[in-house]
Amino acid sequence: MKFNGFRHLREGAKGLVRNGWMTFASVSAVTVTLLLVGIFAMVMFNVNKISDNVEKDVEIQVFVERESDQAKIDSVGEKLKQMPGIESVRYSSKEEELDRFKEQLGEGSQAYQSVEKDNPLHDRYIVKATSPNETETIANTVKKMENIDSVEYGEDYVEKMFNFLEGVRIGGIILIVGLTFMAMFLISNTIKVTIFSRRREIEIMRLVGAKNGFIRAPFFIEGLLMGILGALIPIAVVYFGYEVTYNALQPQLVSLNASIFTLIPPGELSVQVALILLALGAFIGVWGSTTSLGRFLKI
């Protein structure tokens, strides 16, 4: 008995209609599951982007002792540039620091005109590590150098931010995996009911010499269709919902000058997540049908 693609597709579609309520329940479960997966996928993609932004934004502030002359200041800069693990070193004189401070104050800066002759600020080097993981090690090494007043890199803020983002990432992965297995279980049960109701038909097919692949194919198609149908609504909601969310939130982040927390623009991300949901829906459906046949029919 030869494989007939159109016949198997037709039989698979009939199976969906024949088990209407179970099909509806399974497709609904897949829909809800993939909708949550899509939402968390969007969140996780943006969390990863924010994490990358935080890493790129981490800088080590090296403040030179106030009494250091220009030769000592230059010496500090040369030592920093020669250190391994440092990507860039930028110098800001105490005069530039004072000008920046006055610019931030605006009209209130006039009160600080008197300090220009005896500038209380420090010459500063802004250092970026090649890897964010090396920031703490580099900062501790720089602290031991001569002519250094203090070294800062916002260690408390950076550590808390990384821990929070890592927690969100791990929690999202665990939830996505759990929801996926739940949907696979529900589709598997639907296929089991279908197999049980058609057991006499399957026995007849086996008696007349039908091969395992021929018997499996309609159930394979049925599971595949359930998975794809369950993915359609989540794809639409995620695609259009993320665009609305982006348009609502991004202008506010821009107005706050929160460059670290910028969101990934819609378009490429929405298409990427849509393809993931479609593939995941198809996989869930196929896995559910294959598992049911393999374990309960032993064919």
Side-chain angles (χ1 to χ4, degrees):
M1 193 171 291
K2 296 181 180 180
F3 178 83
N4 188 322
F6 179 76
R7 180 183 185 280
H8 291 145
L9 181 61
R10 183 183 61 194
E11 290 299 319
K14 282 184 179 180
L16 294 181
V17 177
R18 186 183 298 119
N19 299 281
W21 284 110
M22 287 296 294
T23 298
F24 176 77
S26 293
V27 171
S28 298
V30 175
T31 297
V32 173
T33 299
L34 293 184
L35 181 59
L36 293 174
V37 169
I39 292 172
F40 274 93
M42 288 292 191
V43 171
M44 289 178 61
F45 275 117
N46 280 288
V47 165
N48 287 334
K49 183 178 188 302
I50 292 171
S51 182
D52 290 340
N53 290 342
V54 171
E55 291 180 351
K56 293 176 182 177
D57 198 60
V58 174
E59 295 177 334
I60 304 172
Q61 311 292 328
V62 181
F63 297 94
V64 184
E65 291 179 344
R66 285 186 59 202
E67 59 272 16
S68 300
D69 56 25
Q70 192 59 46
K72 292 180 179 179
I73 295 172
D74 294 340
S75 176
V76 169
E78 289 301 318
K79 290 178 181 178
L80 290 173
K81 292 176 183 178
Q82 294 173 7
M83 286 181 62
I86 289 182
E87 180 180 307
S88 65
V89 177
R90 181 163 53 89
Y91 172 66
S92 178
S93 68
K94 58 185 178 182
E95 289 78 20
E96 292 173 332
E97 292 292 297
L98 182 59
D99 290 339
R100 186 179 298 108
F101 178 67
K102 289 163 61 178
E103 182 180 346
Q104 292 174 349
L105 289 176
E107 294 181 0
S109 64
Q110 296 177 358
Y112 292 88
Q113 296 293 337
S114 60
V115 302
E116 291 186 355
K117 295 181 180 179
D118 187 20
N119 192 335
L121 301 180
H122 296 263
D123 293 277
R124 178 173 65 121
Y125 283 99
I126 300 94
V127 178
K128 296 195 74 169
T130 53
S131 170
N133 296 328
E134 297 294 324
T135 299
E136 183 177 0
T137 301
I138 292 173
N140 291 332
T141 301
V142 174
K143 287 178 182 178
K144 301 174 184 178
M145 292 171 52
E146 295 182 351
N147 305 311
I148 300 299
D149 181 81
S150 62
V151 177
E152 299 176 2
Y153 63 94
E155 54 269 30
D156 293 337
Y157 163 78
V158 171
E159 185 177 353
K160 289 179 181 178
M161 178 63 72
F162 281 139
N163 289 339
F164 171 75
L165 294 175
E166 187 64 21
V168 172
R169 190 181 293 120
I170 293 173
I173 291 173
I174 293 174
L175 183 61
I176 287 173
V177 171
L179 291 171
T180 301
F181 274 106
M182 182 184 74
M184 292 163 70
F185 173 76
L186 288 171
I187 285 186
S188 177
N189 283 340
T190 301
I191 299 295
K192 291 175 193 175
V193 173
T194 304
I195 292 170
F196 184 78
S197 66
R198 297 172 61 186
R199 62 190 184 281
R200 291 181 61 82
E201 176 187 344
I202 293 172
E203 284 298 324
I204 293 173
M205 291 171 65
R206 295 179 67 181
L207 287 174
V208 298
K211 301 296 184 182
N212 289 347
F214 187 88
I215 299 173
R216 289 177 185 270
F219 299 101
F220 178 92
I221 296 295
E222 191 172 333
L224 177 65
L225 291 176
M226 279 194 288
I228 292 175
L229 287 173
L232 295 180
I233 293 177
I235 288 173
V237 172
V238 167
Y239 190 92
F240 295 106
Y242 181 71
E243 185 172 359
V244 172
T245 302
Y246 179 87
N247 292 335
L249 292 181
Q250 188 60 30
Q252 298 182 27
L253 295 175
V254 171
S255 65
L256 293 173
N257 197 27
S259 58
I260 292 177
F261 299 100
T262 54
L263 303 176
I264 302 175
E268 183 178 347
L269 176 61
S270 297
V271 171
Q272 187 177 0
V273 173
L275 292 175
I276 291 173
L277 292 180
L278 187 62
L280 188 57
F283 170 77
I284 289 172
V286 170
W287 184 92
S289 63
T290 303
T291 302
S292 298
L293 283 167
R295 289 184 179 179
F296 294 92
L297 293 183
K298 307 296 182 183
I299 58 175

